[in-house]
Amino acid sequence: MTELVVRRLLIDLSQPVDRHWCNGDPFLTAWFNALSMSFPVGEQFFIDAVRNGFKALPEAEQAAFMTEIKGFIGQEATHRRIHALFNAQIEKHGLVNEWEPRARERLRLLDGTDPRHGLAITAANEHFTALFAEWLLSHPTLLDDCEPRLRALWHWHSAEEAEHKCTAFDLYQHLGGSEAWRTRWMRRVTLIFLTDTLRQTANNLKRDGTLWQWRTWRSAGRNLLGRHGLLRCTFRPWRAYFKPDFHPNQQSSDLSSNWLNENAQLYVKVEGAA
Ligand SMILES: [Fe+2]
Ligand SMILES: [Fe+2]
């Protein structure tokens, strides 16, 4: 079991955020904003999925998972809250979150289904976020020119995602979740997540009036498909998820744990949280 610490990040999100807060780059800003828009509903879903999975465990086996699940829920609840504050700031720029209602509608289809479905979906998303975390932390210049509080927000969230990347996966396996459904959900989640992210990013750029600017597309090409781009760098570790003996621990999260160790002044630990 992993010991998961709940941390309260010491940043103030009551102050406005610049329109192009991410290095003055409209594409990166719109992309990060789109991701942030998905977090409140997505992370609530992960919390519910893990909670339902925990309840489905035989009582005698619950104790072994209890502490880790509490930590997972505490971390995701903190992310959800802080991103809701961030989202309230970016909505003042005229952006509209069209992802959230679409996601809510879709997630309703899972009501009353076997809890392992929710866990497989959560495990797939957690794999994404862990890959994103290591990519972001291995390219720190991406957030070099951001305000320190926003840099801290994204690095902290990334680092904690890597820290709890095994929780949903382990619970799914412990509940006897099949390999076939694990990989099937990864395929579906990949398609849905990429489509939704690109759709909301385009929507943000359109409302920002920067969708048809050359610099936007140049940045998209470089940051997604370039030599150091997100999609290019994460393709192989993403594909590893389909191996029958895959476990999230097989992939390094050193950058994330280093960040948490080196930036302890940016947060306080929340005792007894969940
Ligand atoms: Fe999170
Ligand atoms: Fe997570």
Side-chain angles (χ1 to χ4, degrees), residues 43 46 72 76 79 126 129 157 160-161 164:
E43 300 196 300
F46 305 153
F72 177 92
E76 293 293 34
H79 302 166
E126 293 289 313
T129 48
H157 191 169
E160 289 196 348
E161 284 306 319
H164 69 226

Side-chain angles (χ1 to χ4, degrees), residues 27 62 67 78 88 116 119 209 262:
F27 171 76
Q62 288 184 345
T67 315
T78 315
R116 287 174 292 191
L119 275 176
E262 289 161 11

Side-chain angles (χ1 to χ4, degrees), residues 60-212:
E61 292 168 30
Q62 288 184 345
F65 276 91
M66 178 90 81
T67 315
E68 181 171 344
I69 300 284
K70 243 177 123 181
F72 177 92
I73 292 174
Q75 289 191 343
E76 293 293 34
T78 315
H79 302 166
R80 187 169 54 78
R81 270 195 299 271
I82 209 159
H83 277 277
L85 295 174
F86 176 80
N87 292 351
Q89 291 299 343
I90 59 174
E91 277 164 21
K92 291 180 191 162
H93 303 158
L95 304 184
V96 177
N97 187 346
E98 294 185 5
W99 186 342
E100 183 168 319
R102 214 164 45 236
R104 276 191 201 289
E105 197 63 32
R106 216 181 281 137
L107 292 174
R108 212 166 289 143
L109 299 173
L110 291 164
D111 283 351
T113 57
D114 188 309
R116 287 174 292 191
H117 286 303
L119 275 176
I121 293 168
T122 304
N125 277 286
E126 293 289 313
H127 185 54
F128 276 163
T129 48
L131 296 182
F132 179 76
E134 286 291 295
W135 173 77
L136 187 61
L137 290 163
S138 63
H139 297 88
T141 52
L142 269 178
L143 301 181
D144 256 4
D145 292 333
C146 294
E147 281 184 71
R149 65 177 172 144
L150 301 182
R151 189 163 54 236
L153 168 67
W154 286 93
H155 282 163
W156 159 80
H157 191 169
S158 297
E160 289 196 348
E161 284 306 319
E163 194 177 39
H164 69 226
K165 65 181 179 180
C166 299
T167 308
F169 189 97
D170 287 342
L171 197 49
Y172 176 76
Q173 289 205 319
H174 199 83
L175 284 166
S178 74
E179 286 297 290
W181 272 107
R182 180 174 77 75
T183 51
R184 193 172 295 147
W185 275 120
M186 178 48 115
R187 260 180 237 113
R188 290 180 189 177
V189 166
T190 301
L191 191 67
I192 293 170
F193 185 77
L194 277 180
T195 309
D196 275 339
T197 312
L198 291 171
R199 224 170 133 178
Q200 186 64 50
T201 302
N203 190 301
N204 292 347
L205 286 165
K206 204 163 147 193
R207 290 179 192 274
D208 182 47
T210 47
L211 178 60
W212 298 114

